[in-house]
Amino acid sequence: MKKMFYIFVLLFQSAILYANENNEAEFDKANNLYKGNHYDKAIVSYNAIINSGYESSDLYFNLANAYYKSDSIAAAILYYEKAKKIAPFDEDILVNLKIANLRIKDKIEQPDEFALSKWVNTFTLTKSADKWAIQSIVSFFVCCSLFALYMWVKTRGQKQMLFVISIVFFLVAVSSLFFANKNYSIQQTSNTGVLFIESIQVKSAPDEKSTNLFEIHLGSTFTILEENGNYSRIKLLNTNEGWIKSSAFRAI
Amino acid sequence: MIESTLYYSVKMKKRFILLSLLLSFILLVIFNSVFAQELTVSASKTKLAVGEQFQITYSLNTSGNGFRHPSFNDFDVYSGPNQSTSMQIINGAMSQSVSYSFILAPRKEGTYTIIPASITVNGKKTESKSLTINVLKGGNNNQQQQNSGNQQRQSQQQKSGTEELGNNLFIKASVDKSKVYVGEQLVVTYKVYTRVSIVDNGLTKAPVFNGFWSEDVFSPNKQATLHPEVIDGIQYQVAEIKKTILIPQHSGTLNIDAMEMDCVIRMSVKSNNFFDQFFGGGYRDSKVSIKSRTLQIEVMPLPEVGKPDGFSGAVGEFSIETKVNKNKLKTNDGVNYLLTLSGKGNIKFIEPIKLDLPKEFESFDPKMNDKISVSNTGISGSRTYDYLLIPRVAGNLEIPALHFSYFDPQKKEYIILKSAEIPIEVEQGEGEKATVTNNSSISKEDVKMLGSDIRFIKSKTELERKGHFFFDSYLFYFLLILPLIGLVVFLLLKKRFEKENKDFVLMRSKKATKLAQKRLQMANSYLSKNVYDPFYEELYKALYGYLSDKLNINGMELSKDIIIDNLRKNGANEDTLKQLHEILSTCEFARYSPVKEVMGMKSDYDKSIHIISEIEETLRS
C-alpha cells in the first residue's frame, strides 16, 4: 500500500516536471521572440503557456510587456494587474503598470484606504497563500511539540517557559492561517476589471435606456461589485459607481 | 439684538473672507518664488479694441535659451521680441531673470488664444500658459480722430493705394549677406525711400523673424533722420527705420517677413479759398500702406567634417583668455578661475564650457558675466565665466589647458583655441585634513533621463499550476491536523504508561508485605532450629526486600541512609527509624561476623516484625 503511494507521488511529480520543462522552453522561445521585436508572435507563445494551465508573475509581466509594445494598452494593463496580484511588491511590475496607465485617457486618483485595512492587506500580500499555509503548519507543529514537552517536564520553571512559547507559536499558526485564507480569497476572486473597448458610457441602471452617468475609456481599471444579467455594477477608484455591459471589460 | 449679532456675523464673515484672500495671496507669492522656474506670461491688457496696442511679456527668473514664441498671426507685431536680462548677485548666490516682450495690436475683433511660448532651462523645456485676448470693435477710431482732429479744416484723410504713388514711396529691406551658416550673424536693414513729405507714420506689421534669434540695433522711430540717396538718377530722401541683427537657429531656407507701414503723406492741392492760398496753399493728407519685399536667406548647416569634440556652438571670431586671482593658496581655500571669451559672433548662444579638471579640485557652476554690444556690424563683446575652484589636497597642482573651438564662417573652418596651463601651489590648510574619499563627491551629476520606456522582460520564471493552491489541498489540512493528532496520541500513550507504572508500584508494594511475611516465616523456622547464619540472612532479606519494594527503589541504589532518608520524608517516626537502623546494622554485622550471639535472635525477630508493621502503617496513611 505504502509502495503504491510512493509510486503514485513519483509519477505525479514527473508529470509536473515534464510539463514544466516544456513550458519553460516555450517561455524562453517567447522571450527570444520578444527580444527580436516579434511582439505578436511572443504574445501567442506566452498565451500558449497560460492556456496549458500554468502561470507566474513573470509570465504575465512579459506578456503585458509584449502587449504594451504592440500598443494593446488595455491588455497590457490587464496582464500587469494579473502579475501584480501574484507579486504585489515587484518594482518592475509597478513601474511598467504606471507607465501603461499614463497611456490611457482616464486619470483617476486612488483615494487613501483606511489605514488599518491597508496595513492588513499589504501584510497579507507579503507572502503567497501557500507560504502562509506552510508557515502555519510549521508553527502549529512546533506549538504541539512544545506542548508535549510541557506535559513531559516536571520542573515548574521549564513548564512555564514551554507553555508561554507554545502559546506564542499557536498564535503565529492561527494568524498565518488567517493571512493564508485572506490571500487565497484575494487570489481566487477577480473583482477588478479593465475596459477593453475604446469608450463606454456608464449607466445609472442595468438598462440601455437609463441615464448616462459618466464615460470611461480604454484601459480604465475599476472594481466589479455585482453582476446582473448582461450588466455589471462597477466602481471606479474615485468611488464613482454605475452599470456597464459585462462584455465591455475583462476581469483580472 | 438679533440684528446686531447678525450684522456682527456678516462682518465676521467678511473679515474671514478678506483674511483668507490675503492668506492665499501670500501663499501664491511664496509658491511663485518657490516654483520659480516657470515661464510666466503677462499681458498689459486682455480686453482691448481693434488696433489698440498692448504688450505681452514672457519672463523667466533664471537663465534659459532657445526661446520660441508663438506666431502672432492675428496681430500686428509692432516690436519684439525685445529681450531684457537682469542679473543679481547676493552673498555670492547669483540669480538671473530674463524677459521677452512684444508690442502687438489686434487686427480683427474676436477672442484669441495665444498659444504657449517655450524656453529651455537646464536642458528642460518649460512652457508658459496660454493667454486669452478679447478684442472688441471700434475704440481705435477715436484715437485716429483725435490725431487728425487738430489738422486743418481742409485736410482730409483718405486711404489710397500704393500704385498711385508709384516709386515715390517704398520700403526696402536689405541684408548684408544672403547665404550664411547656422549661428552666423547677418544684418537686416529696413529703409524707407520717399520723394513725398511724410507727416506721420506707424508700423502696422513688424517683421517676424521666424527661425532667427534677433537683436535690434535700433527700432522704428518716428524721428528717423533723413538723408539723400540717389537711385537710378532719382533722388530720394531715405530713412533707416529698423536695423536688426539676425542669427539663424537652424538650417534651410528661411524667410524674413515683410514690414508693413502706414504713412500719412501730404500733398498740396489747389484750393478755392484765397486765405489758404495766401498761407501756403491747401494740402491734402492721405494715408498710404507700404510694404517691403519678403527676403529669403539660405542657411547652411555647420560642416560636420572636422567638427571638434566639445564644440559649443560658437560661430564668429573669438579669442579666449584665462587667469586666476591667486597662484598660492591653502587646501579648502577657493581660487577664482576666470575664462573670458571675447570677439564677434553669437556669444549669447555659447553653451557653458565644461572644465576638465583633475579630481584634486572641486568646482562649482560658473557665474556668467556678459558684456555684449550690438552695433551696425553685428554683435560683439565678451563673456566671462567665473569658476570657483577649491583644491582638496596640497601640492603643486595645475589647472589644465582649456580647449575652446568655434566656427569661422569667413574661413569656413573650425578653429581650436588653447589656453595656457596655470600652475597652482597648494599648501596644507588648517583644520581637518582633506581625505581622498572626499574626491568621490566631485562633479557628480544627476543621471540624465534620455527617454522613458517600460522595463525589460524577465528571463527566468517558476511556473505554477494555475488555480492550484497548496492551501486549498487535502494535504494541507492533513498536515495542519497532523501535529494535533500526534499530540493526542502522545498524551494517550503517556497516560497509559503512567497508569501501568502506577499499577506496577502498587503491586510491588502489595507483594512486598507478602514476601516479607514469607521471609519472616522462614526466619522463624530457623529461629526455632536455632540456626544462626540463615536466620539473619533471611531477616536481612525480609527487611531490605520489603523496604525496596515499598519505597520503589531498586536494589542497586539501596543503602541504609537512602532508606532512612526516604522513610523520614514519608513521615516515619524517629524512634522506629532508630530501631530500624539498629536492626539493619545487627543483621549486617551478624552476616559477616564470626561471633555468633544466639541470645538476641528472638528479640531481633520481634523487633523486625514490629518495625515492618510500623512502616506499613506509616506508608498507608
Side-chain angles (χ1 to χ4, degrees), chain A residues 6 44 60 65 82 92 103 112 133-134 137 140 142 149-150 157 167 190 222 226-227 231 234 237:
Chain A
Y6 279 128
V44 172
Y60 287 142
N65 269 6
K82 279 195 181 199
D92 291 344
R103 301 252 318 248
D112 277 340
I134 288 166
I137 287 172
F140 193 58
V142 174
L149 213 61
Y150 156 79
I167 290 293
S190 51
F222 42 78
E226 60 174 298
E227 259 184 90
Y231 280 81
I234 62 155
L237 295 172

Side-chain angles (χ1 to χ4, degrees), chain B residues 407-477:
Chain B
F407 182 74
D408 190 328
Q410 248 98 49
K411 292 177 187 163
K412 295 186 167 55
E413 64 184 18
Y414 291 99
I415 289 168
I416 301 172
L417 299 175
K418 194 182 164 198
S419 73
E421 286 121 10
I422 301 176
I424 301 269
E425 207 175 297
V426 184
E427 282 172 32
Q428 186 62 53
E430 283 150 28
E432 93 276 29
K433 268 199 165 188
T435 49
V436 188
T437 49
N438 262 356
N439 294 337
S440 63
S441 66
I442 290 170
S443 71
K444 273 192 179 171
E445 267 180 51
D446 281 343
V447 176
K448 271 182 194 154
M449 294 300 289
L450 299 172
S452 79
D453 193 8
I454 52 169
R455 296 206 180 168
F456 196 64
I457 53 166
K458 310 205 177 196
S459 55
K460 273 188 184 147
T461 189
E462 268 177 45
L463 291 164
E464 274 168 30
R465 282 197 76 85
K466 204 158 39 179
H468 184 81
F469 282 93
F470 167 65
F471 175 69
D472 197 24
S473 65
Y474 290 117
L475 185 67
F476 167 71
Y477 291 114

Side-chain angles (χ1 to χ4, degrees), chain A residues 42-43 46-47 50 58-68 79:
Chain A
I43 289 170
Y46 287 128
N47 272 320
I50 294 170
D58 311 311
L59 176 62
Y60 287 142
F61 175 79
N62 290 4
L63 177 57
N65 269 6
Y67 274 125
Y68 180 90
Y79 282 100

Side-chain angles (χ1 to χ4, degrees), chain B residues 346-447:
Chain B
N346 57 349
I347 286 189
K348 283 187 179 180
F349 291 98
I350 297 173
E351 291 162 15
I353 296 165
K354 279 224 174 75
L355 294 185
D356 191 17
L357 286 170
K359 57 180 181 171
E360 285 84 4
F361 288 104
E362 194 170 332
S363 68
F364 295 92
D365 284 345
K367 285 180 208 164
M368 267 192 326
N369 195 6
D370 286 353
K371 277 180 199 153
I372 289 165
S373 63
V374 181
S375 68
N376 284 344
T377 50
I379 299 170
S380 60
S382 70
R383 166 174 278 189
T384 306
Y385 295 95
D386 183 351
Y387 296 89
L388 179 65
L389 307 183
I390 298 176
R392 294 301 189 196
V393 279
N396 287 323
L397 305 178
E398 190 185 71
I399 299 175
L402 189 114
H403 298 268
F404 173 73
S405 55
Y406 67 90
F407 182 74
D408 190 328
Q410 248 98 49
K411 292 177 187 163
K412 295 186 167 55
E413 64 184 18
Y414 291 99
I415 289 168
I416 301 172
L417 299 175
K418 194 182 164 198
S419 73
E421 286 121 10
I422 301 176
I424 301 269
E425 207 175 297
V426 184
E427 282 172 32
Q428 186 62 53
E430 283 150 28
E432 93 276 29
K433 268 199 165 188
T435 49
V436 188
T437 49
N438 262 356
N439 294 337
S440 63
S441 66
I442 290 170
S443 71
K444 273 192 179 171
E445 267 180 51
D446 281 343
V447 176

Side-chain angles (χ1 to χ4, degrees), chain A residues 63-79:
Chain A
L63 177 57
N65 269 6
Y67 274 125
Y68 180 90
K69 287 284 183 188
S70 55
D71 281 330
S72 311
I73 296 304
I77 289 173
L78 178 80
Y79 282 100

Side-chain angles (χ1 to χ4, degrees), chain A residues 185-200:
Chain A
S185 65
I186 289 171
Q187 302 292 344
Q188 284 298 90
T189 52
S190 51
N191 60 351
T192 308
V194 178
L195 195 71
F196 262 70
I197 60 172
E198 203 51 52
S199 71
I200 193 167

